[in-house]
């Protein structure tokens, strides 16, 4: 109780079915430096991560939590080691993208499942003057299930202004046991 602002005290939260829980609501200028999170949800897309920069009503990030950490498999989580995202073998998910904000940010997670989910998390921020040319972090999610025959799956759209495209994570789920997933990506 006497630890001050920013301490969540409990190492975990239980999020009810269909509930939106606020992981962070930070005021001031600075940058998100690191996110660590793990949960009790089965592997999949039951939790939706949203990040709102500087008082915006619409999220700049709106993706399933597992996809944000490049780990969308429905059977189990896989280890991933990169500079930007790491997923440890026991589902400890880490993000190292630097995400600047000018007047604050809000980060939420929504539980779409029919049962309670326990979430353990830590969000590390640095209070600092933000470079006026610093760009906001954005992430979009799209799903084509199934992809209509001879149709394109749009990866990104509706983007304007300055920015840097840093990549795409694609999870391709196979709905039968007769195809290995090999072949040319179009």
């Amino acid at each position: 109780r006497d630890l001050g602002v920013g301490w969540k005290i409990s190492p975990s939260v239980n999020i009810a079915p269909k509930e939106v829980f606020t992981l962070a609501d930070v005021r001031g200028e600075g940058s998100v430096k690191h996110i660590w999170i793990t949960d009790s949800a089965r592997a999949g897309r039951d939790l939706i991560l949203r990040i709102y920069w500087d008082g915006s009503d619409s999220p700049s990030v709106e993706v399933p939590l597992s996809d944000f950490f490049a780990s969308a498999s429905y059977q189990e989580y896989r280890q991933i080691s990169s500079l930007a995202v790491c997923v440890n073998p026991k589902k400890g998910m880490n993000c190292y993208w630097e995400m600047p904000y000018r007047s604050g940010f809000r980060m939420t997670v929504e539980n779409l499942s029919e049962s309670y989910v326990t979430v353990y998390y830590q969000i590390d921020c640095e209070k600092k003057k933000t470079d006026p040319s610093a760009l906001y972090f954005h992430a979009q999610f799209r799903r084509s299930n199934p992809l209509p025959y001879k149709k394109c799956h749009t990866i990104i759209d509706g983007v304007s202004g300055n920015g840097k495209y840093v990549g795409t994570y694609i999870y391709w789920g196979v709905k039968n046991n007769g195809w290995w997933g090999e072949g040319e990506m179009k």
Side-chain angles (χ1 to χ4, degrees):
R1 73 175 188 268
D2 297 325
L3 295 175
V5 175
W7 291 86
K8 66 181 180 282
I9 309 304
S10 174
S12 66
V13 294
N14 291 315
I15 304 174
K18 311 304 180 203
E19 179 184 1
V20 176
F21 179 80
T22 300
L23 298 170
D25 192 354
V26 174
R27 298 292 163 238
E29 190 171 13
S31 185
V32 175
K33 303 294 274 187
H34 172 245
I35 301 168
W36 170 83
I37 194 165
T38 190
D39 61 74
S40 66
R42 67 171 179 70
R45 295 182 167 133
D46 290 340
L47 301 176
I48 305 299
L49 176 68
R50 292 183 182 92
I51 305 175
Y52 304 80
W53 304 119
D54 297 334
S56 176
D57 290 332
S58 15
S60 295
V61 172
E62 185 172 24
V63 298
L65 186 67
S66 57
D67 288 82
F68 185 80
F69 291 95
S71 191
S73 171
Y74 280 87
Q75 284 74 43
E76 60 186 61
Y77 282 76
R78 301 284 187 191
Q79 182 172 350
I80 297 166
S81 299
S82 74
L83 289 174
V85 174
C86 298
V87 177
N88 297 322
K90 298 291 185 182
K91 199 176 160 184
M93 300 178 284
N94 293 274
C95 171
Y96 296 97
W97 288 110
E98 184 165 353
M99 301 179 222
Y101 50 89
R102 287 163 181 80
S103 63
F105 74 94
R106 185 168 51 97
M107 188 179 303
T108 67
V109 67
E110 180 178 5
N111 178 7
L112 298 178
S113 77
E114 297 297 327
S115 58
Y116 276 82
V117 173
T118 303
V119 174
Y120 296 82
Y121 68 98
Q122 179 174 317
I123 302 163
D124 300 318
C125 302
E126 179 182 12
K127 286 184 178 183
K128 66 177 188 177
K129 188 80 173 151
T130 303
D131 181 338
S133 65
L135 304 173
Y136 289 108
F137 184 90
H138 291 267
Q140 295 181 352
F141 173 77
R142 295 223 169 22
R143 182 177 186 192
S144 297
N145 186 22
L147 181 63
Y149 185 66
K150 291 189 175 185
K151 298 292 180 183
C152 292
H153 173 78
T154 300
I155 291 185
I156 188 170
D157 72 350
V159 176
S160 62
N162 295 327
K164 295 180 181 183
Y165 178 75
V166 295
T168 297
Y169 166 71
I170 297 176
Y171 172 74
W172 188 317
V174 178
K175 294 189 178 250
N176 66 51
N177 60 5
W179 183 67
W180 291 90
E182 297 173 347
E184 181 182 353
M185 294 290 286
K186 301 277 186 195

